[in-house]
Amino acid sequence: MKKQQRLVVRTAILLVLLAAVGYTIYANFFTEKTAVAVGSTAPDFVLTDLNGQKHRLSDYRGKGVFLNFWGTWCNPCKREMPYMNDWYPVYKQQGVEILAVNVGEPKLSVKKFAERFGLTFPIVIDQEDQVLNAYNVGPLPTTFLIDKNGKVKQIITGTMTKEDIRRHLESIKP
């Protein structure tokens, strides 16, 4: 009797595992993945900044948004963050917002990084990489230029110079 019960339990476990593997294969190969593309509406999200304030992308409608995905360990990110900070007060007055999305690092690490560089623009943390995945971000840094209507105007992968950042901020002024 015990052998028969063990067989039933093992068979049930095997079936559950096979179903999970089957679903994973289906989800990865047979479902349509919609990547964010130039001209598409930027996916909305809500993330919390280092001060506990929530930021919803759709709340920035009417403004240009420089949406930058970055990490504290990313050397190109370290180079461009001070440039972004230099231009932030200039373009904020002209209706352009910089929103930096950290990719799931501990709040303390992000806060120390922001303090070390004296960053003044909003920094939010994507703890579970949901926004990173929704935007299908690959290498860091990646920046999405979003116009006042919430449409993606351009996607930039890799580091930018101070002049590149100024030019991109200029291009999304409302």
Side-chain angles (χ1 to χ4, degrees), residues 20-48:
V21 168
Y23 175 77
T24 302
I25 290 170
Y26 169 78
N28 283 321
F29 294 108
F30 298 107
T31 56
E32 188 178 332
K33 290 188 175 93
T34 54
V36 176
V38 172
S40 66
T41 300
D44 200 14
F45 61 84
V46 179
L47 290 173
T48 306

Side-chain angles (χ1 to χ4, degrees), residues 85-131:
N85 202 53
D86 290 346
W87 291 121
Y88 179 62
V90 174
Y91 283 91
K92 183 175 175 60
Q93 292 178 343
Q94 298 178 50
V96 177
E97 199 56 63
I98 292 177
L99 193 56
V101 180
N102 176 271
V103 293
E105 294 182 87
K107 185 176 178 178
L108 183 61
S109 301
V110 177
K111 196 172 182 81
K112 283 183 176 181
F113 181 95
E115 288 168 356
R116 188 171 91 213
F117 287 97
L119 304 177
T120 56
F121 48 81
I123 297 173
V124 295
I125 302 175
D126 185 12
Q127 288 293 357
E128 295 165 14
D129 293 342
Q130 290 174 326
V131 179

Side-chain angles (χ1 to χ4, degrees), residues 58-79:
S58 57
D59 289 346
Y60 292 102
R61 284 278 163 89
K63 296 180 175 189
V65 178
F66 186 94
L67 183 64
N68 178 265
F69 290 85
W70 68 285
T72 60
W73 46 267
C74 161
N75 285 325
C77 303
K78 290 177 189 173
R79 284 193 295 276

